Amino acid sequence: MIRNVTATKTPGADFDAIVIGGGFGGLYAVHKLRNDQGLHVKAYDNASDVGGTWYWNRYPGALSDTESFCYRFSFDKELLDQGSWQTRYLTQPEILEYLNNVADRFDLRSSYQFNTKIVSTRFDEATGLWHVVTDKGETASAKYLITGLGLLSAINKPTFCGIDDYAGDIYHTGAWPEGVDLSGKRVGIIGTGSTGIQVIIALAPQVKHLTVFQRSAQYVVPIGNWPEDTETIDTYKANYDEIWKQIKSSNVAFGFVESTVAGIDVPEAERECVFEEAWQRGGGFRFMFETFNDVAISDEVNTSAANFIKRKIAKIVKDPEIARKLTPGDIYAKRPLCATDYYGVYNRKNVSLADVKDDPIAEFTTRGIRLASGIEHELDAVIFATGFDAVDGNYTKIDIRGRGGVTIRDKWADGPLGYLGMMEADFPNMFMILGPNGPFTNLPPSLESQVEWISDTIATMEADGRSTIEPTQEAEDAWVETCRTIANMTLFPKAESWIFGANIPGKKNAVMFYLGGLGNYRSELQSVRNSGYESMIFD
Ligand code: N01
């Protein structure tokens, strides 16, 4: 339903709610608050249209690694029935088209002001309102502030000596311009995470020469991106009630049943068979979580999985020296990667691998990149696939001030920490979608859960005539401690990755996620609601 809203319900405010962000989270928040609840909502996005992450990440090969049937919203049966796709995974243009359709279907664009950055937001204790200021100097006020700034959207672009003297083109995958043609060029790529491996696979057949600057070798399993026919898609549609029920009660929410078998109880030879089947089925999360329930918990089972992948690398990559460089030395505990024949790319004559852990990048020259050993790679273009300042990167760019003028930057000086991944003590009526200490999953079902909880909470406040809500500091500290305890039961903290902020020089390492799974997370949200929000302070 699309509702026409004419006036604010909040005296003295321009709007009832301000939403920042036009990705999955922001769009759903506008829909829930405006169309379902009849609130007067204003939304902003820096981009020229909807899409969020999928608006900016238009790099060659961009693909979701969540299967097509569940990389979408679940809240609208008709929208689910309209869904269509070609292959097991959605490409970036397909996801962007999907989000555009969602925006059309629910008339969401009419609430948005695009090409507009929010530069500051301030909570006024006297009026109980949030005030935002845009980069154009406009101001607006509202009772509720909902931030859908993106978990992985503030780009990380490391600086290198001499970069300004480089005569070629430089691109970052997270801000990819339209109309780039790299065919026939000598291209360098820095970074081999989920993004880098997709770009490498897509560009290798197009460019004259591709030089991969790899700092950490990666465990990559096949993605299994085969075509999906109408019959298969119809079967998903016919079973969506059970599918979404399962997803929302699962851990990683990737649309498969996670293993309940402990690998530690299974002989090594049998583990090998299970890993081989998973390798054939494809999917990074499937390989880590559908095989055994302790790949990311038990050192021994993790080593089995890692050794299995290492043996695959040795088999696939023809040059033993390149295979050696591609073989990871650390544990298998980053967000799992998957792609189509990643290691096979290195058998191509036009692809070379520079191990910049052994021989670091010393500087950019006018012609390319020089390594510490003195080797210079001449390049027409360099791609930074160097990832994101995850979770808080976009928050700390905005001057966000809560009670007493406390800034979010100060609050997060020891790393971004929050209550239920959505709220902060001293920041009343501010709701973050995918904020710190939220679930680590396939994101659409998690952010749907959050937006629905936010919307219920706001509805309760309005029904009860409340002015403000915020968590107690004790509740927030206890939630952060829960996140820490759960994370320490896994192997994830032992690997250096963006999950704990380790990829950004100078960023404090922090437990930024709730690794207890979506099902348990949803139960936690339910119990906060059922308790009458006893962990909250109301005004
Ligand atoms: O970023 P990353 P990403 N010199 O941080 C290297 C989601 N996503 O954009 O590992 C040299 O993982 C860095 O090296 P190292 C998904 O959640 C999903 O690839 O730190 N190298 C690493 O290789 C994913 O996990 C999809 O040693 C430098 C790379 O850059 C998340 O986004 C697709 C460097 C960064 O890897 C982030 O993935 C894409 C330096 N100074 C993204 N600085 C899908 O759905 C960094 N690196 C498939």
Side-chain angles (χ1 to χ4, degrees):
M1 186 183 67
I2 299 170
R3 203 192 286 238
N4 277 329
V5 183
T6 49
T8 68
K9 295 181 178 176
T10 313
D14 299 321
F15 304 97
D16 296 310
I18 288 174
V19 173
I20 314 177
F24 268 97
L27 289 174
Y28 189 38
V30 171
H31 173 61
K32 282 299 285 178
L33 299 181
R34 191 197 70 188
N35 293 340
D36 284 1
Q37 284 176 249
L39 297 185
H40 201 52
V41 177
K42 172 84 174 184
Y44 297 93
D45 198 294
N46 186 24
S48 67
D49 209 335
V50 299
T53 294
W54 297 102
Y55 174 96
W56 297 105
N57 283 267
R58 297 168 186 232
Y59 59 84
L63 187 83
S64 166
D65 64 5
T66 305
E67 289 166 52
S68 305
F69 73 91
C70 61
Y71 197 73
R72 56 191 61 245
F73 289 118
S74 70
F75 68 86
D76 184 79
K77 202 75 205 264
E78 267 180 40
L79 183 66
L80 282 170
D81 282 342
Q82 284 170 6
S84 181
W85 57 90
Q86 309 293 317
T87 46
R88 192 178 175 202
Y89 299 90
L90 297 169
T91 61
Q92 176 272 334
E94 288 175 304
I95 302 167
L96 193 56
E97 190 188 344
Y98 170 77
L99 290 173
N100 272 280
N101 288 341
V102 170
D104 289 340
R105 178 173 168 78
F106 301 108
D107 181 35
L108 301 176
R109 279 194 197 78
S110 61
S111 286
Y112 273 89
Q113 180 173 326
F114 292 109
N115 298 306
T116 305
K117 219 182 243 180
I118 298 299
V119 291
S120 71
T121 75
R122 177 179 61 84
F123 178 71
D124 182 335
E125 288 184 76
T127 60
L129 300 181
W130 278 95
H131 293 264
V132 305
V133 180
T134 75
D135 57 350
K136 298 170 175 65
E138 300 151 318
T139 60
S141 60
K143 181 169 175 181
Y144 303 104
L145 177 67
I146 290 92
T147 55
L149 303 184
L151 186 70
L152 292 152
S153 61
I155 62 174
N156 169 41
K157 191 166 175 201
T159 51
F160 291 98
C161 282
I163 197 160
D164 292 337
D165 300 329
Y166 174 56
D169 297 318
I170 293 183
Y171 304 99
H172 193 291
T173 50
W176 195 266
E178 294 283 7
V180 179
D181 182 7
L182 295 168
S183 344
K185 299 207 168 148
R186 298 164 305 170
V187 177
I189 177 162
I190 303 174
T192 53
S194 297
T195 306
I197 62 171
Q198 292 184 341
V199 183
I200 290 163
I201 291 163
L203 284 185
Q206 284 176 31
V207 298
K208 183 174 180 197
H209 193 88
L210 184 66
T211 307
V212 178
F213 296 89
Q214 169 197 278
R215 193 166 65 181
S216 298
Q218 305 280 10
Y219 294 100
V220 184
V221 306
I223 188 165
N225 192 15
W226 48 70
E228 278 187 342
D229 56 22
T230 317
E231 207 182 339
T232 308
I233 295 172
D234 285 347
T235 308
Y236 284 126
K237 288 181 183 173
N239 292 296
Y240 260 140
D241 288 346
E242 289 82 63
I243 286 173
W244 286 108
K245 195 167 164 215
Q246 188 278 330
I247 288 173
K248 289 175 187 177
S249 61
S250 71
N251 285 331
V252 292
F254 270 74
F256 60 84
V257 177
E258 286 124 1
S259 175
T260 51
V261 177
I264 197 76
D265 297 333
V266 171
E268 176 71 29
E270 215 175 291
R271 282 184 211 154
E272 187 83 2
C273 294
V274 173
F275 289 135
E276 182 60 40
E277 282 167 18
W279 182 271
Q280 299 305 331
R281 266 196 316 276
F285 277 78
R286 282 186 186 266
F287 192 88
M288 192 179 263
F289 295 100
E290 198 178 27
T291 48
F292 299 108
N293 67 5
D294 51 358
V295 172
I297 291 174
S298 152
D299 281 311
E300 184 183 321
V301 181
N302 189 272
T303 303
S304 282
N307 287 343
F308 175 88
I309 301 172
K310 288 177 188 179
R311 283 193 293 274
K312 289 287 186 189
I313 299 172
K315 260 193 208 144
I316 296 166
V317 181
K318 291 189 182 130
D319 180 327
E321 180 53 12
I322 297 175
R324 185 191 66 75
K325 287 181 181 170
L326 284 168
T327 303
D330 51 359
I331 61 166
Y332 174 47
K334 294 180 180 173
R335 184 184 182 278
L337 306 190
C338 57
T340 301
D341 196 22
Y342 173 63
Y343 299 116
V345 167
Y346 295 89
N347 291 331
R348 295 180 64 98
K349 287 202 168 58
N350 72 332
V351 175
S352 49
L353 178 64
D355 180 343
V356 297
K357 201 164 248 171
D358 271 5
D359 188 2
I361 295 174
E363 58 175 353
F364 275 62
T365 63
T366 52
R367 292 179 303 195
I369 289 179
R370 196 192 325 269
L371 303 180
S373 60
I375 295 171
E376 185 180 6
H377 294 272
E378 290 187 20
L379 303 163
D380 303 312
V382 175
I383 297 169
F384 281 67
T386 43
F388 304 92
D389 185 357
V391 183
D392 59 328
N394 271 344
Y395 284 85
T396 50
K397 280 185 190 159
I398 303 175
D399 185 10
I400 303 177
R401 289 173 190 258
R403 282 193 193 283
V406 62
T407 67
I408 206 82
R409 288 179 201 134
D410 286 345
K411 179 105 203 266
W412 291 348
D414 289 328
L417 303 170
Y419 182 56
L420 302 174
M422 288 188 279
M423 299 187 81
E424 287 290 328
D426 286 330
F427 292 79
N429 295 2
M430 181 174 104
F431 297 94
M432 299 173 287
I433 305 167
L434 305 182
N437 301 108
F440 185 73
T441 61
N442 168 32
L443 295 176
S446 280
L447 57 84
E448 263 190 315
S449 306
Q450 292 189 327
V451 170
E452 283 158 17
W453 186 87
I454 292 167
S455 148
D456 281 355
T457 302
I458 289 178
T460 304
M461 287 188 60
E462 293 302 298
D464 295 352
R466 305 279 199 182
S467 299
T468 61
I469 182 172
E470 67 196 284
T472 64
Q473 190 59 54
E474 294 71 37
E476 187 177 313
D477 293 345
W479 178 252
V480 168
E481 198 44 45
T482 298
C483 292
R484 252 186 223 129
T485 306
I486 296 172
N488 287 332
M489 289 160 71
T490 75
L491 298 172
F492 286 108
K494 293 190 179 166
E496 288 200 350
S497 81
W498 62 263
I499 302 175
F500 295 88
N503 63 326
I504 304 295
K507 184 164 175 169
K508 288 256 171 72
N509 248 33
V511 175
M512 301 196 288
F513 288 95
Y514 171 76
L515 299 183
L518 180 58
N520 291 327
Y521 176 74
R522 286 173 61 88
S523 302
E524 293 278 358
L525 296 187
Q526 185 68 41
S527 60
V528 172
R529 225 175 358 223
N530 291 349
S531 74
Y533 298 92
E534 66 181 14
S535 52
M536 304 285 184
I537 305 167
F538 287 98
D539 229 2

